[in-house]
Amino acid sequence: GEHKNERTNAGLIRSTSAHGGMTLSGKAVRKIQTQSLEQLMHRTGIFEFFWYPIFIVLGLLCLTLIPIFTKMTSIDVLLLVFSVLSLWLGMTGNNFVAKGYRFGLILTCINMVLYVVVSAIQKVWGEVIINTFVYLPLAIYSFFKWKQDALKKAEKGARMDDVEKMTGKELLLYILLLLGLTAGVWAVLNFGLSQAFAIFNAVSIAGCIVGDIARTKRYIETWFFYMLC
C-alpha cells in the first residue's frame, strides 16, 4: 500500500508537469500530505515504540527531579527547560531526517535555536557563532533542497524520499574535505585560541559540517560523519 501511494503521488506530480507546468491543487497536496503521514506510521519500528516513551519520560524526570535536589535560579530553570526541549527536538528531528522526512529538518532548526539561546545565556560564544552561521543555515538549505530534489525524482517516477549512496570518487572528496576542515579548525583552536584537546574539537566540528553538507543531498554516508563528530 505504501508503494502504491507513492506511485500515486508521483503520478499526480508527473501529470501536472506534463500539462504546461501546472501546480498541484490544494486537495491534491493535502492528499499527498495525508498519505505521507500514513507512510510514516507504517515505517515506525518496534524500537521506536519503546525508545520514544523512554526518552520522553527520562526528560520529564530531569525536569522534575533536578529542581528538587538542586538549588536553581529562574535562569537555571529556563536553561534546564530549553536544554531538555532541545534534546527532545534534536533526537526526534534526527529520526525523521533518517527516514527522509523534511519535517525533521524543521525540528532540527528549532533545536538549534534553543541551543543557541542556552549557549548565549551561558556565554559560550563559540557554540553561538558556529550554530548560527554554519549549522543552522545548512539545515535551512537542506529543507528547501530536499523539496526541489523530491519533485525532480517524482517527475522521473522515483520514490520521493529515496536516499543516495556516494560513489567512490564522491566519498574520497568528502573525506578530503573532512581532513582539510579538521586541519583548518585545529590550527585556529590550537594556535589562535590555545585550546586544550583542540584536535578532538576540530574533528567534531569538521565532522558535523561535512555531515550537514552530505545531508543536503540525502547521502546515507551522512550518518558516518555525524557518528564521527
Side-chain angles (χ1 to χ4, degrees), residues 71-130:
K71 186 177 180 180
M72 303 181 73
T73 65
S74 57
I75 294 297
D76 292 332
V77 173
L78 179 65
L79 287 173
L80 175 63
V81 172
F82 275 21
S83 297
V84 172
L85 284 176
S86 177
L87 184 59
W88 276 344
L89 291 170
M91 297 302 291
T92 305
N94 275 340
N95 192 38
F96 277 106
V97 168
K99 291 175 177 291
Y101 292 98
R102 287 200 310 151
F103 177 68
L105 293 169
I106 296 177
L107 297 182
T108 298
C109 289
I110 299 173
N111 154 54
M112 290 181 187
V113 171
L114 290 174
Y115 182 66
V116 166
V117 172
V118 171
S119 299
I121 292 175
Q122 295 182 317
K123 298 181 180 180
V124 186
W125 302 117
E127 291 297 314
V128 172
I129 292 172
I130 196 167

Side-chain angles (χ1 to χ4, degrees), residues 3-108:
H3 295 294
K4 182 179 179 181
N5 288 339
E6 288 170 351
R7 288 196 297 272
T8 302
N9 296 348
L12 283 169
I13 296 175
R14 283 201 305 276
S15 63
T16 55
S17 300
H19 293 82
M22 294 169 59
T23 57
L24 288 173
S25 67
K27 182 178 180 180
V29 171
R30 286 192 296 273
K31 182 178 180 180
I32 291 175
Q33 290 172 340
T34 301
Q35 291 173 344
S36 296
L37 182 59
E38 292 173 353
Q39 292 165 21
L40 173 62
M41 294 302 296
H42 284 301
R43 293 169 65 175
T44 301
I46 296 177
F47 169 76
E48 292 163 280
F49 279 115
F50 288 97
W51 177 69
Y52 273 117
I54 292 173
F55 194 64
I56 292 173
V57 168
L58 289 176
L60 291 174
L61 286 175
C62 288
L63 291 174
T64 305
L65 297 179
I66 291 178
I68 293 176
F69 295 101
T70 307
K71 186 177 180 180
M72 303 181 73
T73 65
S74 57
I75 294 297
D76 292 332
V77 173
L78 179 65
L79 287 173
L80 175 63
V81 172
F82 275 21
S83 297
V84 172
L85 284 176
S86 177
L87 184 59
W88 276 344
L89 291 170
M91 297 302 291
T92 305
N94 275 340
N95 192 38
F96 277 106
V97 168
K99 291 175 177 291
Y101 292 98
R102 287 200 310 151
F103 177 68
L105 293 169
I106 296 177
L107 297 182
T108 298

Side-chain angles (χ1 to χ4, degrees), residues 135-202:
Y135 299 153
L136 185 57
L138 282 171
I140 295 173
Y141 174 73
S142 293
F143 181 80
F144 292 103
K145 183 73 165 56
W146 279 28
K147 180 178 181 180
Q148 182 183 28
D149 291 345
L151 291 175
K152 289 180 180 178
K153 289 179 180 179
E155 290 177 354
K156 297 177 182 178
R159 284 171 58 110
M160 295 173 67
D161 59 350
D162 270 349
V163 295
E164 304 291 339
K165 185 173 177 60
M166 291 183 185
T167 63
K169 182 179 179 180
E170 289 170 333
L171 181 59
L172 177 60
L173 288 174
Y174 273 82
I175 291 175
L176 290 175
L177 176 61
L178 174 68
L179 294 175
L181 282 173
T182 299
V185 174
W186 173 79
V188 171
L189 296 178
N190 188 62
F191 299 111
L193 302 177
S194 299
Q195 188 180 89
F197 306 107
I199 186 61
F200 295 110
N201 202 1

